[in-house]
Amino acid sequence: MFKSYFIETYGCQMNVADSELVEGLLQKEGLRHTDKMEDADFIFVNTCAIREHAEEKVHSQLGRYYRIKKQKPDTIIGVLGCMAQHLKNDILENKPYVDIVLGPDSYRKLPEIIRNRVNETNNIVDTTLSRFEVYDDLFPSRNEGINAWISIMRGCDKFCTFCIVPFTRGRERSRSVKSIISEVKQAVSEGFVEITLLGQNVNSYSHGNDGFPVLLEAVADIDGVKRIRYTSPHPQDINEELLDVMASHDTICNYVHLPLQAGNNRILKRMNRTYSKEHFTELANLIRKKLPNVGISTDIIVGFPGETEAEFEETLGVMEKVKFDSAFTFKYSLRPGTKAAEFSDYLPEEVKQTRLENVIELQKKHTLERNLDFVNNVETVLVEKESKRSSSHWAGRTDSNKWVIFEKGTVNIKDFVPVLITAAKGISLHGELVQKEEAIII
Ligand code: 5AD
Ligand code: SF4
């Protein structure tokens, strides 16, 4: 009889891609996917350690798995990913019902672990980090869909002082252009219309003499690739060569994620972000100059240790200058083991909360302002799913990464269609399908 597995994924797209890799390995071992965790012989959770909140969610899920295991003692519970790496001792001491703990570089061990599980009763733990593992030869099991995540590099050497990633995912290493291209070709032949190149530090990609612009151009030149995105870059590794490649290929989306984190130079230095606010705003201007109508999103952390009110206001100042199209905003969360955890000047929760609300409010204003600029444009939209609010409407994205809601008409998911933008509401655009013969795409 076939054994079954259930897997759930927390955290970033890199984890989504890793879970697909894990699923590929499990299926090769003859395991079948189930959507019901209660029925599964193996329950896996791919975890995230980036903020305390992410860890809390996993802890509460582990409680659910434990209750299932009490009913069905043969259930095998596996904790994968960043939290496995970061909290293995805590898990082993306090959660003895967890059978398998594997860090992000140890997934190749899974088939062997599953085969031996019949006679093996001890916990299996492997959180060794590798300088070489890129899972080059393994093919992920992707669900049918629009977008294929393709991991091009792993790890991070930047060591921002707030961030746990360099500790949970280890040193940077990149796959060869050749193997990435062959995976992209396979994804295209399977019907994926959008490719997202992934890495913790995607644009510090480096393999032999090939840097990220070379790779991006090589992917853009593959027949049948309709849209290419990449995430998540570091401002330090965005250069003119990369922007020129983006500008000269229509298939590369006109969208840049440019994580600011903070707008004051003392705090940026304390965060080890390697750029000043002046350099950051110049870079944003250069991006807008080279890529007209580009969508720029950012990440902002409020309440980093020692951040004064005046320093926080400089973050608002940079936001006013750059006017991001969207932002992911976070309260600083202490991560044990990081450099910032050694600072002592933490800010009270209320201060962080108020600053977060200020940032969100300002960003809402900017998102609307930037979206209003799109009204009356005809945009090419990739139809991705049904609108959450209305079954007679589609939701799709522009290449600048804005969601557009429009009446379904006769078009289908995965189509690229011209849509006249008629309104900007909240964080989305609304529009009307344009008959192909009327369309002049801007
Ligand atoms: N606290 C709050 N936010 C964090 N991030 C990373 N580490 C922390 C932390 N300790 C945010 C950064 C990063 C994004 C992925 O998560 O903004 O860009
Ligand atoms: Fe974390 Fe900084 Fe590396 Fe991004 S660049 S993963 S924020 S250490």
Side-chain angles (χ1 to χ4, degrees), residues 50-51 162-164 232 257 259 261 273 299-301 328 330-335:
I50 196 101
R51 284 170 292 275
F162 50 80
C163 187
I164 195 77
S232 190
H257 185 59
Q261 312 298 4
R273 283 298 286 180
D299 290 344
I300 292 174
I301 298 178
F328 301 90
F330 311 104
K331 288 187 268 190
Y332 170 72
S333 169
L334 185 150
R335 303 289 64 212

Side-chain angles (χ1 to χ4, degrees), residues 7-20:
I7 184 163
E8 58 185 341
T9 306
Y10 291 88
C12 62
Q13 286 94 343
M14 200 72 194
N15 266 10
V16 175
D18 278 0
S19 289
E20 290 177 347

Side-chain angles (χ1 to χ4, degrees), residues 1 182 190 220 285:
M1 218 194 54
S182 93
E190 286 167 359
N285 290 340

Side-chain angles (χ1 to χ4, degrees), residues 246-438:
M246 290 179 71
S248 57
H249 290 84
D250 287 344
T251 48
I252 305 175
C253 285
N254 204 14
Y255 167 68
V256 178
H257 185 59
L258 194 66
L260 168 65
Q261 312 298 4
N264 165 269
N265 286 340
R266 187 184 76 94
I267 297 295
L268 284 169
K269 197 149 193 218
R270 234 183 169 207
M271 287 177 160
N272 192 28
R273 283 298 286 180
T274 70
Y275 51 82
S276 64
K277 77 166 175 181
E278 291 78 14
H279 171 235
F280 185 94
T281 38
E282 274 165 29
L283 183 59
N285 290 340
L286 179 69
I287 293 172
R288 288 238 159 86
K289 197 172 114 207
K290 295 241 179 209
L291 306 170
N293 284 324
V294 66
I296 304 185
S297 61
T298 196
D299 290 344
I300 292 174
I301 298 178
V302 299
F304 187 73
E307 183 187 63
T308 65
E309 198 57 35
E311 286 169 339
F312 165 67
E313 275 167 23
E314 286 187 57
T315 298
L316 299 179
V318 176
M319 290 174 73
E320 286 286 10
K321 275 208 175 115
V322 176
K323 294 217 164 78
F324 298 106
D325 293 77
S326 63
F328 301 90
T329 52
F330 311 104
K331 288 187 268 190
Y332 170 72
S333 169
L334 185 150
R335 303 289 64 212
T338 59
K339 181 91 183 105
E342 293 165 21
F343 298 147
S344 52
D345 39 4
Y346 297 114
L347 299 189
E349 181 59 28
E350 315 80 76
V351 172
K352 291 197 270 185
Q353 183 60 33
T354 313
R355 288 182 189 174
L356 183 71
E357 284 163 19
N358 287 342
V359 165
I360 291 173
E361 196 184 350
L362 184 60
Q363 184 52 50
K364 270 193 188 151
K365 199 176 117 208
H366 291 161
T367 298
L368 187 61
E369 243 175 75
R370 295 212 71 87
N371 283 355
L372 282 169
D373 274 351
F374 278 67
V375 175
N376 294 327
N377 285 4
V378 174
E379 292 284 322
T380 301
V381 174
L382 168 56
V383 185
E384 296 191 36
K385 57 187 180 189
E386 195 166 85
S387 156
K388 277 188 204 130
R389 298 234 175 114
S390 152
S391 59
S392 59
H393 286 70
W394 290 129
R397 274 182 301 166
T398 65
D399 77 335
S400 53
N401 209 28
K402 293 176 188 290
W403 282 99
V404 186
I405 314 293
F406 55 98
E407 249 182 64
K408 280 184 176 172
T410 55
V411 300
N412 296 308
I413 287 184
K414 280 197 190 178
D415 286 347
F416 287 84
V417 294
V419 178
L420 171 68
I421 307 301
T422 52
K425 291 183 209 158
I427 53 169
S428 326
L429 298 170
H430 292 251
E432 287 161 11
L433 271 170
V434 178
Q435 295 311 316
K436 285 249 160 55
E437 52 279 15
E438 295 171 24

Side-chain angles (χ1 to χ4, degrees), residues 126-139:
D126 191 331
T127 55
T128 322
L129 286 172
S130 159
R131 296 187 78 86
F132 309 104
E133 180 61 272
V134 283
Y135 299 116
D136 220 2
D137 51 330
L138 300 183
F139 276 96

